[in-house]
Amino acid sequence: MGKRVAIVDTVQTEHGDKLEDNIREIMFGVVRQLLDRVGIEKSEIGTMVSASSDYWEGISCSNAYYYDAAGANLKSGSNAEEDSGLAFIYGFMRILSGDYKTALVISITKCSETPSAATLTHMSADPFFHRPVGLNETVVAGLQAREYMNRYGITEEDLAMVVVKNLGNAQKNPYAHRGGQLSEEEVLASSMMVYPLREMDIPSTSDGACAVLLAEEKIARDLTDTPIFVEGVGWGTDHSFLGDRNLLNGSLPKAAERAYQMAGVKDPSNEIDMAEICDITSFHEILWMEQLGFCPPGKGADLVKDGVTAMHGKLPVNPSGGLFGANPYVARGLIRIAEAAMQLKGEAGDRQVLDVSRAVAQSVHGLGGQLHSVIILGT
Amino acid sequence: MGHAVAIIGTGQTHCGKRTDVSYPELIYEAVSRAFEDSGLSPDDIEAVVSGSMPPAMEGVNNPHLYWADAMGAGGKPLIRIATCGSTGISLAHAGFYHVSSGLFDLVLVVGAEKMYEGNPQGVMATVADPFFQRPFLAGAPGIFALQSNEWAHRYGLEEKRVRMAAAELSVRNHTDALDNPYAHIKVKIAVEDVLKSRVIAYPVRILDVCPASDGACAVIMASERMVRKMGAKPAWIRGVGYCGEEAFFGEGDKVVWQAAINAAKTAYKQAGITDPRKEIDVAEVYNPFTFQEMLFYECFGFCDFGQACELVEKGVVMRGGDLPCDPSGGVLCTNPIGATGLQRAAEIALQVTNKAGDHQIPGASTGLTHAMGGLDQFNGIMIISNSL
């Protein structure tokens, strides 16, 4: 890859249970703030790539509603629906092609305006076989966790540790929608949702938006003293039917391998300094860490128990609090990328982890983590 | 420009009311034809791009994940692109950028819609913002009728003349569709039939409007390196342009339509086209409404503003004219929306590689392909040629 592309800057909303502004107003706000921070005008943006979802917005052709509010009036743009990690990758590809020098990547979800995640992800199940048995994201997460439990002997206490860590981290994140210093007992006392996952093992949804400005190297260096380079990207999907899939070894390992290969990373445990990943449940933070190559299968819980993934551990995972801090569904992937970039820039405030020069961000959507994207960022 | 990109295979389903197949099966039909056309197999594909109109149309959230196996995407990079009516051209653009970026050599691009599974106009009414414009429940014809009237009024075009030109375009599309094996509406009609057909939203009559269709389209794109290696017959993507504008219908000028003008200008510049009327041999203009097709001729520089009727009257845009448009029968006869824009690109790829069969425009070497979406909000263009 000849050309280098970097993140210039990022902006997030203060995510919440229910943001008052409407979607157009929120979009305008984050983009305006980003332009002001970077010190450029709208006319200097080459192209825009958004991520939103019709089901998660309650508006058909979801991007049409905010296209102009997001600074893209009379500009070229596109919409990578359902996953903002993929919108980021598409913006990256548009710059690599040489057609554009800068790309604005934006994403928004106001979960307070839509039906529950259970309903919307139930609609993701195929209408003939999966839907009649009541599958949705949480049910499939439970099936996955149960299978893992059988195979590797993980305990409910191990899962609770992830919740305690992430909600604890979120307390230091001014953009997080929730956070708190809980005990494992408090997590274990919450009601059982889908065995072995309890209510507190599953982050509820949020309202929130995020905007990221990408630019080719020369422009990025002009616009910021701390460009964060996109060193590698990888993404991939798993098969449609759960029965066709290995739920404990899906599309993430391959997506990660592609990203590491592009970034020249051979030993992720030693070459990656921190991770921001989509902990769709406490269990999934453990599973995804294994599949990102940070430990052998079945050993993910040890990373939590040994404090490796703690805020000041050897490999901090989700210092932002992850999805436990805020889960605006489609925007959450881009927020992971923005958080990783803030850490690498040294601008993460109270949640800053030390000595980071390379980070991984991961995004996922689909039942049981069907489609993953992995982004390697570096200074 | 980045790495050169070519279309090396296309596959379309037969379109219509396809109750004989499920959504994934419909997609499989298009994808397998693209593999047959290109001589490739699913294992050769490195990444997949797919999209459709609002998934509420078929009642499946994340439809790309539901179809993943029908496209052979399991284990591969997959992205869903959706930009309303312009989805098909946005899919083609996304496929282009996958290859142009240098990240991939072979990419499969798939668009689909199964409009008989739900209520397309009901879904389309929810494209409008929920507070101000949705209460009108205009659907598509209401919006485009307003645009047509504004266009005729702006240039003081005589009503009878505009209606006659629109009717002739309708007849041309319906006649051409008879030669396209994949087209949906296949009926012989005469100008009088159009003029007498019932009004949907004045001045738009039923024969001025596209159908709702079930259908899918698949296109395989390759890098120059791969084209040479395979010895494929390439349809090179020479120019790509896209432009979006205000969400609120009424805030922008839809006659001298900036989104359409900008998209065409960007694509022409990349392709080195300075006189589109002379340099383009064939065009697949997105024409769900006859009147709108004429308005696009003006925005794309096929003629001056206010002069589009003349292109029809003089036969310029007919099969035997200087600049034949929509020899496939166009959107007017076939409209599975998520696939429609990609069908335009597939059709132009067929034309410039001399593979269009009964609706081949002899000697076509450079073509324009177009799609439009949103509430008259998005326009995308792609210029495709048989030489680099």
Side-chain angles (χ1 to χ4, degrees):
Chain A
M1 189 176 70
K3 186 177 299 215
R4 292 181 86 199
V5 177
I7 292 174
V8 176
D9 211 340
T10 69
V11 164
Q12 299 175 48
T13 50
E14 287 177 21
H15 315 306
D17 189 37
K18 185 173 169 47
L19 297 186
E20 287 302 316
D21 287 344
N22 77 23
I23 283 168
R24 288 174 58 80
E25 290 164 337
I26 294 171
M27 266 305 177
F28 178 81
V30 288
V31 172
R32 184 70 260 170
Q33 207 185 326
L34 180 60
L35 296 180
D36 289 344
R37 272 178 66 102
V38 176
I40 59 169
E41 283 308 314
K42 192 175 76 172
S43 58
E44 293 170 74
I45 295 171
T47 186
M48 182 272 272
V49 182
S50 61
S52 51
S53 160
D54 294 358
Y55 271 93
W56 288 98
E57 192 169 299
I59 296 177
S60 290
C61 304
S62 61
N63 72 320
Y65 182 46
Y66 56 73
Y67 195 91
D68 51 339
N73 187 35
L74 296 180
K75 285 186 187 302
S76 142
S78 195
N79 185 41
E81 260 201 348
E82 315 298 343
D83 195 324
S84 51
L86 295 171
F88 180 87
I89 290 172
Y90 188 16
F92 170 65
M93 288 194 283
R94 284 188 161 219
I95 297 180
L96 279 186
S97 77
D99 279 4
Y100 300 100
K101 291 183 165 57
T102 56
L104 179 64
V105 183
I106 54 171
S107 186
I108 185 165
T109 312
K110 279 192 86 179
C111 294
S112 66
E113 296 186 353
T114 60
S116 69
T119 302
L120 294 183
T121 60
H122 180 52
M123 294 299 286
S124 306
D126 92 275
F128 304 110
F129 302 102
H130 283 155
R131 209 179 289 175
V133 296
L135 290 191
N136 64 32
E137 191 173 68
T138 307
V139 173
V140 177
L143 290 171
Q144 254 175 323
R146 192 70 184 85
E147 189 176 348
Y148 186 97
M149 216 173 200
N150 282 349
R151 195 174 302 177
Y152 300 114
I154 197 173
T155 65
E156 286 184 53
E157 286 74 16
D158 296 336
L159 302 183
M161 290 178 75
V162 176
V163 183
V164 170
K165 168 181 79 76
N166 288 356
L167 283 172
N169 289 353
Q171 290 181 105
K172 297 183 173 176
N173 178 1
Y175 305 112
H177 136 221
R178 48 189 168 234
Q181 205 54 61
L182 279 85
S183 67
E184 285 164 39
E185 290 71 30
E186 284 172 282
V187 177
L188 291 169
S190 70
S191 57
M192 186 61 73
M193 292 286 280
V194 179
Y195 186 79
L197 302 172
R198 294 176 180 275
E199 193 176 358
M200 291 199 67
D201 286 307
I202 305 158
S204 62
T205 55
S206 317
D207 287 2
C210 183
V212 172
L213 184 67
L214 281 168
E216 62 168 43
E217 181 171 9
K218 187 175 172 302
I219 308 246
R221 287 194 190 281
D222 283 348
L223 295 175
T224 176
D225 294 333
T226 52
I228 302 303
F229 291 96
V230 184
E231 296 186 345
V233 295
W235 66 110
T237 190
D238 209 333
H239 300 288
S240 303
F241 288 94
L242 290 190
D244 292 342
R245 291 161 57 178
N246 178 347
L247 289 179
L248 300 185
N249 185 14
S251 55
L252 181 54
K254 266 193 190 173
E257 191 186 316
R258 288 185 187 106
Y260 290 145
Q261 194 180 11
M262 189 168 162
V265 169
K266 291 187 179 65
D267 177 6
S269 293
N270 286 313
E271 294 177 65
I272 304 265
D273 303 316
M274 64 147 304
E276 276 285 341
I277 66 177
C278 283
D279 43 348
I280 56 171
T281 73
S282 53
F283 159 71
H284 284 87
E285 179 170 309
I286 293 170
L287 184 67
W288 302 157
M289 286 306 290
E290 293 174 9
Q291 301 193 338
L292 284 163
F294 293 110
C295 64
K299 301 291 180 197
D302 294 346
L303 294 177
V304 191
K305 280 190 247 179
D306 298 344
V308 174
T309 60
M311 180 87 78
H312 295 295
K314 181 170 173 281
L315 177 69
V317 176
N318 288 333
S320 68
L323 304 192
F324 284 91
N327 184 16
Y329 206 86
V330 180
R332 66 196 186 186
L334 193 60
I335 294 168
R336 305 277 71 70
I337 294 165
E339 282 290 332
M342 287 175 84
Q343 292 285 354
L344 293 168
K345 278 172 174 279
E347 294 174 0
D350 290 344
R351 64 193 185 288
Q352 182 69 48
V353 299
L354 301 172
D355 302 325
V356 280
S357 61
R358 188 183 271 149
V360 61
Q362 170 258 3
S363 183
V364 65
H365 71 287
L367 300 180
Q370 197 179 335
L371 207 171
H372 289 268
S373 43
V374 177
I375 290 108
I376 314 292
L377 300 173
T379 53
Chain B
M1 292 279 277
H3 302 255
V5 186
I7 293 174
I8 57 162
T10 67
Q12 300 181 53
T13 62
H14 289 82
C15 298
K17 192 171 185 177
R18 295 295 307 271
T19 49
D20 58 321
V21 285
S22 70
Y23 211 178
E25 285 166 343
L26 183 72
I27 283 167
Y28 178 77
E29 188 177 311
V31 169
S32 47
R33 283 179 184 157
F35 283 126
E36 202 179 308
D37 183 40
S38 62
L40 293 167
S41 75
D43 287 345
D44 298 318
I45 297 296
E46 297 168 1
V48 182
V49 178
S50 107
S52 63
M53 269 291 270
M57 202 89 97
E58 290 88 2
V60 181
N61 194 358
N62 295 319
H64 57 303
L65 300 180
Y66 173 40
W67 314 327
D69 290 319
M71 304 184 293
K76 292 180 180 157
L78 170 66
I79 188 170
R80 170 172 163 83
I81 300 290
T83 63
C84 220
S86 62
T87 292
I89 198 76
S90 289
L91 286 169
H93 288 179
F96 168 83
Y97 284 114
H98 274 62
V99 179
S100 174
S101 64
L103 294 187
F104 301 99
D105 284 314
L106 278 171
V107 174
L108 172 68
V109 184
V110 182
E113 211 70 66
K114 211 155 184 294
M115 297 178 71
Y116 284 98
E117 302 236 335
N119 176 352
Q121 286 307 318
V123 173
M124 272 189 268
T126 65
V127 176
D129 90 277
F131 306 111
F132 302 104
Q133 303 197 327
R134 196 180 296 178
F136 293 101
L137 293 174
I143 298 289
F144 300 124
L146 287 171
Q147 187 181 23
S148 305
N149 284 330
E150 193 184 342
W151 170 67
H153 177 75
R154 178 86 54 94
Y155 301 115
L157 303 172
E158 196 194 339
E159 185 189 344
K160 201 175 154 194
R161 184 182 177 208
V162 173
R163 275 191 58 196
M164 184 57 93
E168 283 178 27
L169 277 186
S170 176
V171 172
R172 184 208 66 193
N173 279 287
H174 283 89
T175 308
D176 287 352
L178 296 173
D179 286 337
N180 177 359
Y182 305 113
H184 176 185
I185 302 295
K186 295 198 173 197
V187 286
K188 270 191 182 163
I189 58 165
V191 167
E192 296 70 40
D193 297 325
V194 185
L195 294 174
K196 281 188 214 152
S197 66
R198 73 185 165 93
V199 172
I200 299 293
Y202 188 83
V204 176
R205 288 166 189 273
I206 188 102
L207 287 173
D208 291 310
V209 191
C210 61
S213 314
D214 295 344
C217 180
V219 161
I220 295 173
M221 293 186 184
S223 64
E224 186 173 4
R225 192 174 71 85
M226 196 54 74
V227 169
R228 308 284 180 226
K229 191 176 153 195
M230 289 174 57
K233 197 173 186 184
W236 297 103
I237 297 169
R238 295 265 309 274
V240 165
Y242 191 92
C243 188
E245 61 185 31
E246 287 99 334
F248 288 99
F249 186 79
E251 288 189 343
D253 184 341
K254 306 297 179 190
V255 175
V256 180
W257 190 4
Q258 219 53 51
I261 295 167
N262 285 4
K265 270 190 182 162
T266 309
Y268 291 156
K269 194 175 166 198
Q270 283 186 359
I273 288 175
T274 51
D275 183 351
R277 168 78 185 272
K278 286 216 174 80
E279 293 170 72
I280 292 170
D281 304 315
V282 55
E284 281 282 340
V285 175
Y286 197 83
N287 59 351
F289 296 84
T290 49
F291 298 90
Q292 211 185 20
E293 181 177 338
M294 290 190 271
L295 189 147
F296 284 128
Y297 294 160
E298 299 173 3
C299 294
F300 298 160
F302 295 175
C303 63
D304 286 338
F305 285 95
Q307 304 297 315
C309 290
E310 211 176 296
L311 291 186
V312 180
E313 289 155 359
K314 290 187 174 165
V316 174
V317 293
M318 305 304 182
R319 188 86 78 89
D322 276 357
L323 178 44
C325 291
D326 299 279
S328 65
V331 185
L332 198 70
C333 293
T334 311
N335 191 24
I337 306 185
T340 304
L342 194 60
Q343 285 172 330
R344 308 273 74 67
E347 282 292 332
I348 292 296
L350 290 175
Q351 290 287 353
V352 301
T353 50
N354 198 25
K355 284 162 67 176
D358 290 343
H359 59 293
Q360 177 68 43
I361 301 301
S365 64
T366 297
L368 174 145
T369 166
H370 163 239
M372 175 270 311
L375 291 179
D376 260 358
Q377 194 180 357
F378 303 132
N379 278 282
I381 298 276
M382 194 173 246
I383 305 293
I384 299 172
S385 178
N386 61 8
S387 60
L388 250 185

PDB file of all heavy atoms in Angstrom, chain B residues 58-81:
ATOM      1  N   GLU B  58     -38.969  -5.735   2.607  1.00  0.00           N
ATOM      2  CA  GLU B  58     -39.132  -7.193   2.644  1.00  0.00           C
ATOM      3  C   GLU B  58     -39.292  -7.725   4.063  1.00  0.00           C
ATOM      4  O   GLU B  58     -39.486  -8.918   4.261  1.00  0.00           O
ATOM      5  CB  GLU B  58     -37.944  -7.884   1.966  1.00  0.00           C
ATOM      6  CG  GLU B  58     -37.903  -7.710   0.459  1.00  0.00           C
ATOM      7  CD  GLU B  58     -37.158  -6.435   0.029  1.00  0.00           C
ATOM      8  OE1 GLU B  58     -36.642  -5.718   0.908  1.00  0.00           O
ATOM      9  OE2 GLU B  58     -37.110  -6.162  -1.181  1.00  0.00           O
ATOM     10  N   GLY B  59     -39.167  -6.837   5.043  1.00  0.00           N
ATOM     11  CA  GLY B  59     -39.370  -7.278   6.425  1.00  0.00           C
ATOM     12  C   GLY B  59     -38.217  -8.054   7.007  1.00  0.00           C
ATOM     13  O   GLY B  59     -38.412  -8.868   7.904  1.00  0.00           O
ATOM     14  N   VAL B  60     -36.997  -7.837   6.512  1.00  0.00           N
ATOM     15  CA  VAL B  60     -35.819  -8.489   7.099  1.00  0.00           C
ATOM     16  C   VAL B  60     -34.792  -7.410   7.422  1.00  0.00           C
ATOM     17  O   VAL B  60     -34.384  -6.664   6.533  1.00  0.00           O
ATOM     18  CB  VAL B  60     -35.182  -9.518   6.135  1.00  0.00           C
ATOM     19  CG1 VAL B  60     -33.984 -10.183   6.791  1.00  0.00           C
ATOM     20  CG2 VAL B  60     -36.193 -10.563   5.718  1.00  0.00           C
ATOM     21  N   ASN B  61     -34.400  -7.307   8.675  1.00  0.00           N
ATOM     22  CA  ASN B  61     -33.334  -6.399   9.059  1.00  0.00           C
ATOM     23  C   ASN B  61     -32.002  -7.043   8.653  1.00  0.00           C
ATOM     24  O   ASN B  61     -31.885  -8.260   8.656  1.00  0.00           O
ATOM     25  CB  ASN B  61     -33.392  -6.184  10.582  1.00  0.00           C
ATOM     26  CG  ASN B  61     -32.551  -5.000  11.037  1.00  0.00           C
ATOM     27  OD1 ASN B  61     -31.889  -4.345  10.245  1.00  0.00           O
ATOM     28  ND2 ASN B  61     -32.586  -4.732  12.326  1.00  0.00           N
ATOM     29  N   ASN B  62     -31.007  -6.242   8.323  1.00  0.00           N
ATOM     30  CA  ASN B  62     -29.705  -6.767   7.876  1.00  0.00           C
ATOM     31  C   ASN B  62     -29.843  -7.798   6.759  1.00  0.00           C
ATOM     32  O   ASN B  62     -29.329  -8.924   6.867  1.00  0.00           O
ATOM     33  CB  ASN B  62     -28.947  -7.434   9.038  1.00  0.00           C
ATOM     34  CG  ASN B  62     -28.579  -6.459  10.116  1.00  0.00           C
ATOM     35  OD1 ASN B  62     -28.173  -5.339   9.834  1.00  0.00           O
ATOM     36  ND2 ASN B  62     -28.720  -6.862  11.348  1.00  0.00           N
ATOM     37  N   PRO B  63     -30.521  -7.464   5.661  1.00  0.00           N
ATOM     38  CA  PRO B  63     -30.759  -8.486   4.632  1.00  0.00           C
ATOM     39  C   PRO B  63     -29.474  -9.061   4.045  1.00  0.00           C
ATOM     40  O   PRO B  63     -29.458 -10.212   3.607  1.00  0.00           O
ATOM     41  CB  PRO B  63     -31.569  -7.741   3.566  1.00  0.00           C
ATOM     42  CG  PRO B  63     -31.393  -6.293   3.839  1.00  0.00           C
ATOM     43  CD  PRO B  63     -31.140  -6.170   5.312  1.00  0.00           C
ATOM     44  N   HIS B  64     -28.387  -8.276   4.059  1.00  0.00           N
ATOM     45  CA  HIS B  64     -27.122  -8.796   3.508  1.00  0.00           C
ATOM     46  C   HIS B  64     -26.637 -10.015   4.277  1.00  0.00           C
ATOM     47  O   HIS B  64     -25.969 -10.879   3.721  1.00  0.00           O
ATOM     48  CB  HIS B  64     -26.045  -7.698   3.504  1.00  0.00           C
ATOM     49  CG  HIS B  64     -25.794  -7.100   4.857  1.00  0.00           C
ATOM     50  ND1 HIS B  64     -26.778  -6.507   5.611  1.00  0.00           N
ATOM     51  CD2 HIS B  64     -24.659  -7.008   5.606  1.00  0.00           C
ATOM     52  CE1 HIS B  64     -26.257  -6.073   6.748  1.00  0.00           C
ATOM     53  NE2 HIS B  64     -24.983  -6.369   6.764  1.00  0.00           N
ATOM     54  N   LEU B  65     -26.977 -10.066   5.570  1.00  0.00           N
ATOM     55  CA  LEU B  65     -26.530 -11.215   6.365  1.00  0.00           C
ATOM     56  C   LEU B  65     -27.401 -12.435   6.064  1.00  0.00           C
ATOM     57  O   LEU B  65     -26.936 -13.571   6.092  1.00  0.00           O
ATOM     58  CB  LEU B  65     -26.576 -10.867   7.858  1.00  0.00           C
ATOM     59  CG  LEU B  65     -25.681  -9.691   8.250  1.00  0.00           C
ATOM     60  CD1 LEU B  65     -25.788  -9.403   9.745  1.00  0.00           C
ATOM     61  CD2 LEU B  65     -24.223  -9.960   7.881  1.00  0.00           C
ATOM     62  N   TYR B  66     -28.648 -12.168   5.749  1.00  0.00           N
ATOM     63  CA  TYR B  66     -29.593 -13.225   5.374  1.00  0.00           C
ATOM     64  C   TYR B  66     -29.199 -13.839   4.030  1.00  0.00           C
ATOM     65  O   TYR B  66     -29.317 -15.040   3.798  1.00  0.00           O
ATOM     66  CB  TYR B  66     -30.981 -12.585   5.348  1.00  0.00           C
ATOM     67  CG  TYR B  66     -32.156 -13.393   4.841  1.00  0.00           C
ATOM     68  CD1 TYR B  66     -32.312 -14.748   5.137  1.00  0.00           C
ATOM     69  CD2 TYR B  66     -33.147 -12.778   4.089  1.00  0.00           C
ATOM     70  CE1 TYR B  66     -33.424 -15.444   4.684  1.00  0.00           C
ATOM     71  CE2 TYR B  66     -34.262 -13.462   3.640  1.00  0.00           C
ATOM     72  CZ  TYR B  66     -34.382 -14.806   3.928  1.00  0.00           C
ATOM     73  OH  TYR B  66     -35.480 -15.485   3.474  1.00  0.00           O
ATOM     74  N   TRP B  67     -28.671 -12.991   3.121  1.00  0.00           N
ATOM     75  CA  TRP B  67     -28.285 -13.500   1.795  1.00  0.00           C
ATOM     76  C   TRP B  67     -26.846 -13.948   1.694  1.00  0.00           C
ATOM     77  O   TRP B  67     -26.408 -14.294   0.604  1.00  0.00           O
ATOM     78  CB  TRP B  67     -28.316 -12.398   0.736  1.00  0.00           C
ATOM     79  CG  TRP B  67     -29.428 -11.494   0.631  1.00  0.00           C
ATOM     80  CD1 TRP B  67     -30.739 -11.750   0.878  1.00  0.00           C
ATOM     81  CD2 TRP B  67     -29.362 -10.130   0.173  1.00  0.00           C
ATOM     82  NE1 TRP B  67     -31.480 -10.627   0.592  1.00  0.00           N
ATOM     83  CE2 TRP B  67     -30.664  -9.630   0.171  1.00  0.00           C
ATOM     84  CE3 TRP B  67     -28.312  -9.310  -0.240  1.00  0.00           C
ATOM     85  CZ2 TRP B  67     -30.964  -8.323  -0.233  1.00  0.00           C
ATOM     86  CZ3 TRP B  67     -28.611  -8.020  -0.633  1.00  0.00           C
ATOM     87  CH2 TRP B  67     -29.931  -7.535  -0.629  1.00  0.00           C
ATOM     88  N   ALA B  68     -26.078 -13.811   2.774  1.00  0.00           N
ATOM     89  CA  ALA B  68     -24.618 -13.952   2.669  1.00  0.00           C
ATOM     90  C   ALA B  68     -24.235 -15.207   1.880  1.00  0.00           C
ATOM     91  O   ALA B  68     -23.388 -15.157   0.987  1.00  0.00           O
ATOM     92  CB  ALA B  68     -23.998 -13.963   4.055  1.00  0.00           C
ATOM     93  N   ASP B  69     -24.887 -16.317   2.186  1.00  0.00           N
ATOM     94  CA  ASP B  69     -24.498 -17.563   1.526  1.00  0.00           C
ATOM     95  C   ASP B  69     -24.960 -17.619   0.077  1.00  0.00           C
ATOM     96  O   ASP B  69     -24.331 -18.274  -0.749  1.00  0.00           O
ATOM     97  CB  ASP B  69     -25.019 -18.762   2.314  1.00  0.00           C
ATOM     98  CG  ASP B  69     -24.280 -18.908   3.627  1.00  0.00           C
ATOM     99  OD1 ASP B  69     -23.053 -18.725   3.612  1.00  0.00           O
ATOM    100  OD2 ASP B  69     -24.917 -19.166   4.658  1.00  0.00           O
ATOM    101  N   ALA B  70     -26.068 -16.936  -0.219  1.00  0.00           N
ATOM    102  CA  ALA B  70     -26.549 -16.916  -1.608  1.00  0.00           C
ATOM    103  C   ALA B  70     -25.547 -16.204  -2.509  1.00  0.00           C
ATOM    104  O   ALA B  70     -25.531 -16.404  -3.720  1.00  0.00           O
ATOM    105  CB  ALA B  70     -27.906 -16.230  -1.675  1.00  0.00           C
ATOM    106  N   MET B  71     -24.698 -15.363  -1.924  1.00  0.00           N
ATOM    107  CA  MET B  71     -23.677 -14.645  -2.694  1.00  0.00           C
ATOM    108  C   MET B  71     -22.315 -15.335  -2.571  1.00  0.00           C
ATOM    109  O   MET B  71     -21.330 -14.849  -3.111  1.00  0.00           O
ATOM    110  CB  MET B  71     -23.545 -13.201  -2.180  1.00  0.00           C
ATOM    111  CG  MET B  71     -24.853 -12.420  -2.196  1.00  0.00           C
ATOM    112  SD  MET B  71     -24.657 -10.693  -1.696  1.00  0.00           S
ATOM    113  CE  MET B  71     -24.223 -10.869   0.031  1.00  0.00           C
ATOM    114  N   GLY B  72     -22.263 -16.404  -1.798  1.00  0.00           N
ATOM    115  CA  GLY B  72     -20.972 -17.051  -1.550  1.00  0.00           C
ATOM    116  C   GLY B  72     -20.066 -16.190  -0.697  1.00  0.00           C
ATOM    117  O   GLY B  72     -18.843 -16.248  -0.801  1.00  0.00           O
ATOM    118  N   ALA B  73     -20.658 -15.367   0.178  1.00  0.00           N
ATOM    119  CA  ALA B  73     -19.863 -14.390   0.927  1.00  0.00           C
ATOM    120  C   ALA B  73     -19.303 -14.940   2.234  1.00  0.00           C
ATOM    121  O   ALA B  73     -18.491 -14.276   2.876  1.00  0.00           O
ATOM    122  CB  ALA B  73     -20.698 -13.147   1.207  1.00  0.00           C
ATOM    123  N   GLY B  74     -19.737 -16.124   2.646  1.00  0.00           N
ATOM    124  CA  GLY B  74     -19.281 -16.680   3.921  1.00  0.00           C
ATOM    125  C   GLY B  74     -17.755 -16.684   3.992  1.00  0.00           C
ATOM    126  O   GLY B  74     -17.102 -17.195   3.084  1.00  0.00           O
ATOM    127  N   GLY B  75     -17.212 -16.110   5.067  1.00  0.00           N
ATOM    128  CA  GLY B  75     -15.762 -16.064   5.244  1.00  0.00           C
ATOM    129  C   GLY B  75     -15.096 -14.901   4.534  1.00  0.00           C
ATOM    130  O   GLY B  75     -13.890 -14.714   4.634  1.00  0.00           O
ATOM    131  N   LYS B  76     -15.879 -14.111   3.801  1.00  0.00           N
ATOM    132  CA  LYS B  76     -15.278 -13.009   3.015  1.00  0.00           C
ATOM    133  C   LYS B  76     -15.696 -11.640   3.540  1.00  0.00           C
ATOM    134  O   LYS B  76     -16.736 -11.513   4.174  1.00  0.00           O
ATOM    135  CB  LYS B  76     -15.733 -13.122   1.563  1.00  0.00           C
ATOM    136  CG  LYS B  76     -15.149 -14.337   0.911  1.00  0.00           C
ATOM    137  CD  LYS B  76     -15.563 -14.496  -0.511  1.00  0.00           C
ATOM    138  CE  LYS B  76     -14.875 -15.762  -1.013  1.00  0.00           C
ATOM    139  NZ  LYS B  76     -15.531 -16.343  -2.133  1.00  0.00           N
ATOM    140  N   PRO B  77     -14.925 -10.614   3.181  1.00  0.00           N
ATOM    141  CA  PRO B  77     -15.356  -9.253   3.500  1.00  0.00           C
ATOM    142  C   PRO B  77     -16.681  -8.956   2.802  1.00  0.00           C
ATOM    143  O   PRO B  77     -16.845  -9.276   1.625  1.00  0.00           O
ATOM    144  CB  PRO B  77     -14.232  -8.381   2.935  1.00  0.00           C
ATOM    145  CG  PRO B  77     -13.038  -9.275   2.868  1.00  0.00           C
ATOM    146  CD  PRO B  77     -13.591 -10.633   2.568  1.00  0.00           C
ATOM    147  N   LEU B  78     -17.612  -8.372   3.547  1.00  0.00           N
ATOM    148  CA  LEU B  78     -18.936  -8.034   3.006  1.00  0.00           C
ATOM    149  C   LEU B  78     -19.333  -6.679   3.570  1.00  0.00           C
ATOM    150  O   LEU B  78     -19.097  -6.398   4.747  1.00  0.00           O
ATOM    151  CB  LEU B  78     -19.962  -9.102   3.440  1.00  0.00           C
ATOM    152  CG  LEU B  78     -21.447  -8.794   3.180  1.00  0.00           C
ATOM    153  CD1 LEU B  78     -21.750  -8.724   1.687  1.00  0.00           C
ATOM    154  CD2 LEU B  78     -22.340  -9.869   3.837  1.00  0.00           C
ATOM    155  N   ILE B  79     -19.922  -5.854   2.720  1.00  0.00           N
ATOM    156  CA  ILE B  79     -20.417  -4.561   3.185  1.00  0.00           C
ATOM    157  C   ILE B  79     -21.794  -4.349   2.585  1.00  0.00           C
ATOM    158  O   ILE B  79     -22.053  -4.768   1.458  1.00  0.00           O
ATOM    159  CB  ILE B  79     -19.433  -3.425   2.782  1.00  0.00           C
ATOM    160  CG1 ILE B  79     -19.806  -2.079   3.410  1.00  0.00           C
ATOM    161  CG2 ILE B  79     -19.333  -3.264   1.265  1.00  0.00           C
ATOM    162  CD1 ILE B  79     -18.729  -0.995   3.236  1.00  0.00           C
ATOM    163  N   ARG B  80     -22.702  -3.739   3.366  1.00  0.00           N
ATOM    164  CA  ARG B  80     -24.022  -3.377   2.830  1.00  0.00           C
ATOM    165  C   ARG B  80     -24.024  -1.888   2.518  1.00  0.00           C
ATOM    166  O   ARG B  80     -23.677  -1.066   3.370  1.00  0.00           O
ATOM    167  CB  ARG B  80     -25.135  -3.688   3.834  1.00  0.00           C
ATOM    168  CG  ARG B  80     -26.487  -3.104   3.413  1.00  0.00           C
ATOM    169  CD  ARG B  80     -27.644  -3.568   4.295  1.00  0.00           C
ATOM    170  NE  ARG B  80     -28.813  -2.725   4.138  1.00  0.00           N
ATOM    171  CZ  ARG B  80     -29.727  -2.858   3.149  1.00  0.00           C
ATOM    172  NH1 ARG B  80     -29.595  -3.817   2.269  1.00  0.00           N
ATOM    173  NH2 ARG B  80     -30.750  -2.032   3.069  1.00  0.00           N
ATOM    174  N   ILE B  81     -24.394  -1.565   1.298  1.00  0.00           N
ATOM    175  CA  ILE B  81     -24.500  -0.167   0.875  1.00  0.00           C
ATOM    176  C   ILE B  81     -25.963   0.099   0.549  1.00  0.00           C
ATOM    177  O   ILE B  81     -26.598  -0.694  -0.154  1.00  0.00           O
ATOM    178  CB  ILE B  81     -23.636   0.083  -0.385  1.00  0.00           C
ATOM    179  CG1 ILE B  81     -22.164  -0.229  -0.115  1.00  0.00           C
ATOM    180  CG2 ILE B  81     -23.827   1.508  -0.905  1.00  0.00           C
ATOM    181  CD1 ILE B  81     -21.457   0.728   0.806  1.00  0.00           C
TER     182      ILE B  81
END
